[in-house]
């Protein structure tokens, strides 16, 4: 081949690459090879777009000149632009996309600020904008800041924005809770600071108008579309009757109870320090649940050795804590809308729920443990160390932490609304006087009623669901699992927003290493009995050593007979040997896992060079052949 031919070949190759890249970016068709199809619009999004009746405008504000200095933001902005282009194409012309660069001191910057786009700051102090505005008729909704940390919820955020701008009114969500989900003002005069609201409430407020209901109320407010009852305590009988009738009338209820609330356990510890009463850490609605045919024991905590979360002890060692349950995709019902797209969730000292024998309701598990789960008395684990809890747990099969219960419920108040007790000293009424006729009440569901019940409440707290970060001066919450998705999915399912369900929890970049977790659980189970016997022997030897060292003569001096000295030395050697054996066992727990990690490291390092070499050898043979 001549020199000119080689030059021409290189030029043609370069032109071909440019044309291929241009065609790849211009052709609307895309091939999505990701496991979760994060670059493909969900069926829920397409169904939502098909329901748009009014033209909708999406204005994407992105400061190319400043924020483009950061590769992370520049790449994410392109990702957002491409997805919004898919929305515009899938809408059949009902959505129009505008990409606007709000340069400093321009009408575009003023328009961005007026629409509610929040300025973000670079480390050098430069201001840039990156947000989205949806406009339909005279309605406008905004995502003030788009951040890469929330990429896994990008499609949901956009779809919710489009759905919300088409709604003239938010649905009303009644909220009954003894937990500070909406925050608390505190008591500054007594030195008590207020508490911030939990992020889950902010998520709910995007879609619903939240109507708080106090436990002392005697009835639910009128006009509620859906009801959420979270860790109920001291509800009046009349309020319980109102909840019962609300469900039987066909309106949906979300109920979260807890055998051991971590929040109230902390509050109880603080109260005990000041001599106050212990808080009631468990919650239950025994009258309602019993009548509805649901079995739940507020004194039993579920532990799961296979899905035990790793926690750090005071000595900075890591151990598995089976009553902190970190569940993966296999634990979620893939056919149920609230959990179909979920991949991970964390539950803290949860309970379990089931149907009572003989119930004709439909029970659909949403979240289940592994078969290596069992139950422990709540009192037995209150002050126990994680390692002690693991030794107490006896696996007895799967447990259901959350479920959908549907069908025709029976009332918990067959005699009608409970009457107010007569005040003391009230004169006796004439026996001949007829009592007032009770108001008519439902004895059974009019049609099929819908209830979602979860036997835990701690999963709703930010501590176990998000990581709060400060990115370039802006506060943001980065999800660490799908807890918030599950909370939002449940309300969307109950309130009827089916189109948004399939979008949540999509494309989680933090994928749990299930193989390693299974290996850890199997290793812990294998050495559990040996470690238990070894711990008992160490305690026995340590006890005898302490007893010998504590023997004193009348003068207060240690008895130092040759026999006692030899016994002390012998027990010290035994103790050291036993502790060494314990260290060896704990090291063996990690042996297989470390070997697997080394294999993966070698595979990752060699995979690309080997593939390139293999292709080169194949191509060379083909040319010569």
């Amino acid at each position: 081949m001549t020199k000119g031919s080689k030059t021409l070949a290189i030029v043609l190759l370069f032109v071909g690459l440019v044309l291929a890249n241009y065609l790849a970016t211009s052709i609307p068709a895309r091939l999505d090879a990701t496991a979760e199809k994060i670059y493909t619009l969900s069926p829920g999004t397409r169904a939502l777009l098909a329901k748009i009746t009014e033209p909708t405008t999406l204005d994407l504000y992105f400061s190319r000149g400043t924020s483009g200095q950061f590769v992370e933001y520049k790449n994410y902005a392109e990702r957002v632009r491409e997805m919004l282009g898919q929305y515009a194409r899938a809408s059949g012309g009902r959505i129009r996309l505008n990409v606007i660069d709000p340069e400093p001191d321009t009408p575009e910057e003023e328009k961005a600020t007026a629409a509610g786009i929040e300025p973000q700051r670079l480390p050098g102090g430069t201001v840039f904008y990156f947000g989205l505005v949806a406009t339909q008729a005279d309605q406008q909704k905004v995502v003030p800041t788009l951040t890469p940390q929330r990429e896994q919820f990008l499609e949901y955020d956009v779809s919710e924005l489009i759905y919300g701008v088409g709604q003239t009114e938010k649905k009303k969500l009644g909220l009954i809770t003894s937990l500070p989900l909406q925050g608390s003002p505190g008591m500054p005069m007594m030195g008590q600071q207020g508490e911030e609201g939990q992020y889950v409430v902010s998520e709910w407020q995007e879609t619903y108008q939240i109507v708080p209901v106090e436990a002392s109320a005697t009835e639910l407010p009128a006009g509620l579309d859906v009801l959420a009852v979270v860790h109920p305590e001291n509800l009046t009988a009349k309020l319980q009757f109102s909840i019962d009738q609300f469900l039987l009338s066909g309106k949906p209820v979300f109920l979260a109870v807890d055998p051991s609330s971590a929040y109230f356990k902390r509050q109880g510890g603080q109260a005990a320090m000041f001599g106050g009463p212990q808080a009631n850490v468990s919650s239950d609605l025994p009258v309602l649940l019993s009548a509805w045919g649901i079995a739940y024991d507020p004194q039993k905590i579920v532990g799961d050795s296979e899905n035990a979360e790793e926690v750090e002890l005071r000595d900075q060692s890591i151990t598995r804590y089976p009553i902190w349950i970190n569940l993966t995709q296999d634990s979620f019902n893939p056919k149920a809308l609230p959990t179909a797209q979920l991949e991970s969730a964390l539950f803290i000292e949860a309970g379990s729920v089931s149907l009572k024998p003989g119930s004709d309701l439909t029970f659909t598990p949403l979240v289940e443990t592994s078969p290596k789960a069992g139950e422990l008395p709540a009192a037995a684990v209150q002050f126990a160390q994680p390692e002690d809890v693991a030794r107490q747990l006896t696996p007895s099969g799967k447990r259901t932490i959350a479920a959908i219960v549907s069908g025709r419920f029976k009332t918990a108040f067959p005699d009608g609304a409970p009457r107010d007790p007569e005040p003391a000293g009230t004169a006796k009424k004439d026996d001949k006087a007829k009592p007032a006729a009770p108001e008519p009440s439902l004895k059974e569901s009019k049609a099929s009623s819908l209830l979602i019940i979860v036997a835990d409440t701690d999963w709703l707290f930010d501590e176990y669901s998000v990581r709060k970060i400060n990115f370039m001066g802006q506060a943001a919450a980065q999800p660490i699992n799908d807890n918030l998705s599950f909370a939002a999915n449940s309300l969307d399912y109950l309130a009827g927003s089916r189109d948004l369900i399939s979008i949540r929890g999509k494309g989680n970049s933090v994928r749990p290493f299930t193989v390693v977790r299974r290996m850890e659980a199997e290793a812990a189970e294998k050495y559990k009995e040996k470690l238990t016997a070894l711990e008992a022997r160490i305690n026995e030897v340590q006890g005898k050593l302490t007893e010998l060292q504590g023997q004193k003569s009348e003068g207060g001096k240690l008895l130092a007979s040759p026999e006692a000295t030899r016994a002390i030395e012998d027990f010290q050697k035994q103790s050291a040997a036993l502790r060494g054996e314990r260290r060896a066992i704990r090291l063996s727990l990690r042996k297989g896992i470390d070997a697997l990690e080394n294999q993966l490291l070698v595979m990752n390092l060699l995979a690309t060079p080997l593939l390139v070499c293999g292709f080169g050898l194949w191509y060379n043979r083909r040319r010569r052949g």
Side-chain angles (χ1 to χ4, degrees):
M1 184 180 286
T2 64
K3 185 176 180 180
S5 299
K6 289 182 179 179
T7 304
L8 179 61
I10 293 173
V11 171
L12 290 175
L13 178 62
F14 176 76
V15 171
L17 289 173
V18 172
L19 288 174
N21 186 61
Y22 173 76
L23 290 174
T25 55
S26 301
I27 297 173
R30 296 288 187 272
L31 176 63
D32 189 352
T34 58
E36 299 86 3
K37 300 298 179 184
I38 61 176
Y39 297 101
T40 303
L41 295 183
S42 301
T45 293
R46 294 186 180 278
L48 185 148
L49 295 177
K51 296 174 184 176
I52 297 177
T53 57
E54 297 286 336
T56 303
T57 301
L58 295 179
D59 292 327
L60 174 63
Y61 289 90
F62 178 61
S63 302
R64 293 182 180 274
T66 52
S67 57
Q69 298 172 14
F70 288 81
V71 176
E72 183 183 18
Y73 263 80
K74 184 178 180 180
N75 292 341
Y76 184 55
E78 185 61 25
R79 161 95 167 92
V80 174
R81 189 196 63 76
E82 287 181 356
M83 173 163 277
L84 295 179
Q86 290 186 59
Y87 274 78
R89 290 190 294 271
S91 69
R94 291 183 292 273
I95 289 180
R96 187 179 65 176
L97 173 64
N98 298 320
V99 181
I100 303 170
D101 184 2
E103 295 182 352
D105 304 318
T106 62
E108 286 78 13
E109 183 184 37
E110 294 179 6
K111 187 178 178 182
T113 305
I117 304 297
E118 295 179 358
Q120 303 181 53
R121 292 187 179 275
L122 297 175
T126 306
V127 174
F128 77 98
Y129 296 87
F130 189 20
L132 182 64
V133 179
T135 306
Q136 186 181 108
D138 58 348
Q139 291 271 101
Q140 190 176 81
K141 285 183 70 70
V142 61
V143 177
T145 57
L146 291 165
T147 62
Q149 287 74 26
R150 197 173 165 81
E151 182 176 4
Q152 68 187 98
F153 293 119
L154 173 61
E155 186 182 356
Y156 171 76
D157 288 341
V158 175
S159 295
E160 185 187 43
L161 185 73
I162 295 171
Y163 173 79
V165 79
Q167 303 299 308
T168 56
E169 291 183 357
K170 290 183 177 181
K171 292 186 176 182
K172 290 185 178 180
L173 167 64
L175 178 60
I176 303 172
T177 182
S178 60
L179 298 170
L181 298 182
Q182 293 183 282
S184 60
M187 301 178 68
M189 298 295 291
M190 300 181 65
Q192 295 182 0
Q193 295 182 349
E195 296 183 71
E196 292 184 2
Q198 303 303 305
Y199 201 78
V200 66
V201 173
S202 301
E203 289 283 291
W204 285 345
Q205 285 175 332
E206 292 293 325
T207 310
Y208 308 97
Q209 177 187 344
I210 296 181
V211 182
V213 182
E214 297 295 329
S216 58
T218 56
E219 62 180 357
L220 293 172
L224 296 182
D225 297 293
V226 61
L227 178 65
V229 184
V230 181
H231 204 74
E233 288 188 348
N234 304 317
L235 270 58
T236 64
K238 285 195 170 184
L239 181 57
Q240 293 186 51
F241 170 76
S242 189
I243 295 171
D244 176 87
Q245 296 295 293
F246 185 88
L247 179 66
L248 267 58
S249 69
K251 292 187 176 181
V253 175
F254 173 83
L255 173 61
V257 290
D258 201 334
S260 180
S261 163
Y263 171 80
F264 276 118
K265 284 176 73 173
R266 285 195 298 267
Q267 295 297 310
Q270 294 173 6
M273 291 175 60
F274 295 98
Q278 289 282 338
N280 183 11
V281 299
S282 68
S283 56
D284 189 10
L285 285 176
V287 174
L288 295 179
L289 293 180
S290 177
W292 294 345
I294 299 172
Y296 159 73
D297 189 343
Q299 303 303 321
K300 293 289 181 65
I301 294 175
V302 172
D304 188 345
S305 58
E306 182 172 320
N307 292 305
E309 172 74 338
E310 289 188 341
V311 296
E312 184 175 346
L313 303 178
R314 291 180 181 178
D315 61 0
Q316 296 185 336
S317 62
I318 304 296
T319 190
R320 294 168 61 81
Y321 198 25
I323 57 177
W324 282 31
I325 306 175
N326 193 349
L327 298 174
T328 58
Q329 191 172 19
D330 293 339
S331 299
F332 302 111
N333 187 341
K335 296 181 180 179
L337 290 175
T339 51
Q341 299 290 330
L342 303 188
E343 296 180 353
S344 64
L346 178 62
F347 294 93
I348 308 298
E349 299 183 18
S352 66
V353 293
S354 61
L355 273 189
K356 285 186 172 182
S359 175
D360 56 357
L361 296 174
T362 300
F363 186 85
T364 305
L366 293 175
V367 182
E368 292 184 304
T369 65
S370 76
K372 294 184 178 180
E375 290 185 328
L376 296 166
V381 302
Q382 187 171 2
F383 302 106
Q385 295 299 313
E387 291 181 338
D388 297 329
V389 173
R391 284 193 289 269
Q392 292 179 42
L393 182 65
T394 302
S396 56
K398 285 186 176 183
R399 294 291 187 276
T400 300
I401 295 177
I404 298 173
V405 186
S406 58
R408 297 175 69 92
F409 288 75
K410 300 288 194 303
T411 182
F413 299 89
D415 297 328
R419 298 181 179 277
D420 293 324
E422 293 186 1
T426 303
K428 227 180 180 182
K429 293 182 180 179
D430 186 359
D431 292 339
K432 296 181 180 179
K434 293 182 179 180
E439 294 184 7
S441 60
L442 298 172
K443 310 301 180 187
E444 188 180 29
S445 297
K446 290 181 177 179
S448 181
S449 296
L450 196 59
L451 169 73
I452 289 182
I453 181 168
V454 186
D456 186 39
T457 58
D458 296 307
W459 62 283
L460 293 167
F461 279 81
D462 293 351
E463 182 178 356
Y464 309 110
S465 58
V466 300
R467 182 183 296 110
K468 293 184 178 180
I469 58 175
N470 192 305
F471 194 83
M472 297 183 181
Q474 292 292 324
Q478 182 179 1
I480 58 177
N481 50 42
D482 288 329
N483 284 16
L484 292 183
S485 297
F486 180 42
N489 285 357
S490 298
L491 268 295
D492 285 345
Y493 175 76
L494 293 174
S497 302
R498 304 291 196 268
D499 293 337
L500 294 174
I501 292 293
S502 61
I503 306 169
R504 292 182 181 272
K506 192 177 179 184
N508 191 345
S509 59
V510 182
R511 297 187 60 83
F513 202 166
T514 54
V515 175
V516 169
R517 292 182 60 173
R518 194 177 299 114
M519 289 176 65
E520 288 177 339
E522 290 173 356
E525 188 68 26
K526 179 180 177 182
Y527 291 104
K528 177 180 176 181
E529 186 176 341
K530 193 171 182 179
L531 270 175
T532 302
L534 190 59
E535 291 284 354
R537 180 63 179 149
I538 289 174
N539 292 335
E540 180 186 348
V541 170
Q542 190 62 43
K544 290 181 178 179
L545 184 60
T546 303
E547 182 182 349
L548 278 174
Q549 290 177 334
Q551 292 178 358
K552 296 181 181 297
S553 65
E554 293 180 0
K557 295 181 180 180
L558 180 68
L559 292 174
S561 66
E563 294 80 6
T565 302
R566 282 196 297 272
I568 289 174
E569 291 176 353
D570 181 51
F571 282 127
Q572 286 175 337
K573 289 178 181 178
Q574 288 186 47
S575 179
L578 290 169
R579 292 181 189 280
E581 187 177 350
R582 181 174 62 182
R583 283 194 299 272
I585 290 176
R586 287 179 173 172
L587 284 173
S588 66
L589 293 176
R590 295 287 309 175
K591 187 176 179 181
I593 296 167
D594 291 339
L596 177 62
E597 289 177 351
N598 291 333
Q599 290 174 17
L600 291 174
L601 178 63
V602 172
M603 288 172 62
N604 286 330
L605 289 174
L606 296 180
T608 301
L610 288 175
L611 287 172
V612 171
C613 291
F615 177 78
L617 290 172
W618 172 83
Y619 183 72
N620 185 52
R621 285 186 179 181
R622 179 159 185 160
R623 282 191 63 192
R624 290 185 177 182

